[in-house]
Amino acid sequence: MPGTTKVMVVLTVVALVMITAYTVALGSSGWLWFGWVVLGLATVGMAASRSA
């Protein structure tokens, strides 16, 4: 896995942890979860295109 893809994976996991903490502390925000899903799909797409 190239360095850029590793950075995207780490960023996606960190964002998941932060959004989960925000949800627990202050309540759910649909836009935050939507943004995380978009980030996750971009990460998966990047990883798939690098391995192909």
Side-chain angles (χ1 to χ4, degrees):
M1 193 180 308
T4 306
T5 306
K6 287 181 184 178
V7 170
M8 283 291 289
V9 169
V10 169
L11 180 64
T12 302
V13 171
V14 168
L16 175 63
V17 170
M18 290 176 63
I19 292 170
T20 302
Y22 179 91
T23 298
V24 168
L26 300 175
S28 184
S29 171
W31 284 110
L32 284 177
W33 286 107
F34 174 75
W36 184 81
V37 168
V38 170
L39 177 62
L41 290 174
T43 302
V44 168
M46 179 183 258
S49 69
R50 297 283 182 173
S51 65

